[in-house]
Amino acid sequence: MVVILAIIAAVPLANYIATSASRTLFLSRSNDADWFATMAESPLQSGDIASLRELAVRYHELYNTPVFVVDVDRRVIATSRSGVDVKEPELKIALDSTLAGRLPSEPPALFPWRTGEMVVARPVVNNGRVLGAAVLRVPTERSRADVERGLWLLLGGLLISIGAVVIGIVRPVTRWVLRPLNDLDNATHQVTRGALDTRVSTDGRAPELRRLGDSFNSMALSLHQARQREREFVADASHQLRTPLTSARIHIEGLSRLSPTARFALSDIDRLGRIVQRLSRLAGSDRPGDADGNEPPLDLAQAVKERLVGWKAVYSADDLELIIGEMVPGGVAPELEVDDILDVLLDNASKYGAPPVEVSVLRDGTEVVLSVRDHGLGLGSRDLKKVGERFWRSAHHREMPGTGLGLAIVRSEAARVGGRVVARPPIGGGLVIEVRVPLIDDYEI
C-alpha cells in the first residue's frame, strides 16, 4: 500500500518534469518560428525568397534545427535542408492547424523513451490572411536527457518518500507538495496562452516551492510590465514629439517661400508627423480616423517632383548634376513612403555612382515605375541578384560609409504595397534601380 501511494504521488511529478521540459523547449523555439513567419511575409508576397533561404540555412547551422517555409498550398518555398515531405503525419497535423489559423496544440511530454523531433509551426499572416507557414523541426535529444536526469532524481525522492512512510508523513507531504506544483503547472499553461496577469499563491508552502512560486510570479510580472512599458513608451514618445514638430513646422513655413532647402526641410517635418501618427496608432492611443482606408491614390510623379526640389539644391551644393526625366502621372497606394524611397536611391547614387543622376516616373502596363539611374561603375550580374539584401554591400563599396540597409528598406516599403525593386545595367553603363508598384486603375490624371 505504501509503495502504491508513493508511485501515485510520483506520477504527476514525472509528468510535470516531462511536460515542463516540453513547454520550455516549445516556448523557446516559438519565438524563432514567429520571427521566421514575420521575415517570410514579404518574400511570400513578392516571390523573392533567396534571402529567406539563406536565413534558414544560417539558422540551421547555428542551432542545429532544420527550418522550412511553405505557402498556403503547402509548397516548400525555402528550406535549410532538402527532402522535406509535408505529407509526414506529424508535419501534416501541424500544417493543417497552422494554415487554418488555429492555436498550436499542446506539445506532448518529452519522456526519455519518446523519439523524433518537435514540430513548431507559425502562420505567415498579412492583414488577417494566412499566406503560408514557418516550420521548425526541433531536436529533442538534449531535453529528453534533462528529463531523464530529473526522473532519476525523482526516483531517488520516491525511495526517500517510501522510507518516510514509516514515520507516517507521506500523505500530508504528498498533498503539500502536489498542490502547489499543480497550481504552478496550470499557471504556466495560462502564461503560454498569453495571460500574463496569471499569478500563483505562495502562502503556506515549503521554502523551495515558495521560492519557485515567487520566481514564477516575478517572471510573469516582468513580462507584463515590459509589455506595458513598451506600449506606454510608444504612446508617450508620439505624444511628446507632436509639440516640437508643430513648432518647427510653423517656423519653417515662413522660410519655405524663400528657400528650396526650407521647403525640403518642411517636407521632412511632414514625414516625421506621419511617423508620429503611426506610432500613436501602434500604441492604441489614437483611434483610426475615418480617412483610414479611404485616402485617395497618391500621384507618384507629383510626389517625386516635390521631393526633387530639395534634392536639386543638395546635388548643386555638391557640384553634382541631377536630371529630372519624364514624369508620367500615375496613382499608387497612398501609404507608399515616396520620400523615404527617393532619399535612399538618390543618396546611394551620389555616394556609390557617378553623375549625372537621372530620375523618371513612367507607366509600364499595370505598374508605375520610379527609376533612378547613375553613370558609375555599375554592378556585375552576380551582385545584381543581391541588391536589396540586408547588410549586403558590393566589393567596390565596402570601404565607404554605410550600413547596407538602404535598399533593403526600399524593397520592404515597395513590398508593403505589393511592389518590387529591380536592379539592372542600362545601355551606356552605370546602374538603374527601379521601384515598381501597382497602378491604381481608377486614378484620374
Side-chain angles (χ1 to χ4, degrees), residues 214-281:
D214 289 339
S215 298
F216 174 87
N217 289 338
S218 297
M219 177 198 68
L221 178 62
S222 297
L223 290 173
H224 186 70
Q225 290 176 340
R227 179 176 292 179
Q228 286 296 114
R229 285 195 299 269
E230 179 182 350
R231 291 177 175 173
E232 291 171 0
F233 171 77
V234 173
D236 291 346
S238 61
H239 179 75
Q240 294 296 328
L241 283 171
R242 287 176 179 171
T243 300
L245 283 176
T246 302
S247 176
R249 196 182 197 287
I250 292 172
H251 290 303
I252 295 175
E253 274 183 338
L255 300 174
S256 63
R257 301 182 185 90
L258 304 175
S259 168
T261 303
R263 291 196 294 273
F264 192 57
L266 188 60
S267 68
D268 281 338
I269 291 291
D270 290 336
R271 180 151 55 100
L272 286 173
R274 294 194 297 272
I275 294 173
V276 168
Q277 289 177 353
R278 291 202 300 271
L279 285 173
S280 296
R281 290 196 295 269

Side-chain angles (χ1 to χ4, degrees), residues 78-157:
T79 180
S80 62
R81 78 179 179 190
S82 59
V84 176
D85 184 6
V86 296
K87 295 182 180 179
E88 291 182 22
E90 194 169 3
L91 288 179
K92 184 178 183 301
I93 292 173
L95 289 174
D96 286 343
S97 175
T98 303
L99 294 176
R102 296 193 295 268
L103 290 174
S105 59
E106 188 76 10
L110 287 176
F111 288 104
W113 51 85
R114 289 184 60 88
T115 58
E117 303 164 324
M118 176 184 291
V119 176
V120 180
R122 283 292 185 273
V124 180
V125 180
N126 176 261
N127 292 329
R129 182 169 64 92
V130 176
L131 304 178
V135 184
L136 274 65
R137 306 191 68 170
V138 183
T140 60
E141 290 83 3
R142 182 177 298 178
S143 296
R144 285 189 282 110
D146 293 340
V147 172
E148 183 175 5
R149 286 192 294 270
L151 293 181
W152 278 112
L153 291 174
L154 178 61
L155 179 60

Side-chain angles (χ1 to χ4, degrees), residues 12 22-24 33 37-38 54 127 148 180 196 218 242-243 257 277 290 313-314 316 342 371 414:
S22 175
R23 287 176 182 163
T24 299
T38 301
E54 184 177 351
N127 292 329
E148 183 175 5
L196 299 182
S218 297
R242 287 176 179 171
T243 300
R257 301 182 185 90
Q277 289 177 353
D290 295 336
V314 173
S316 296
L342 195 57
S371 174

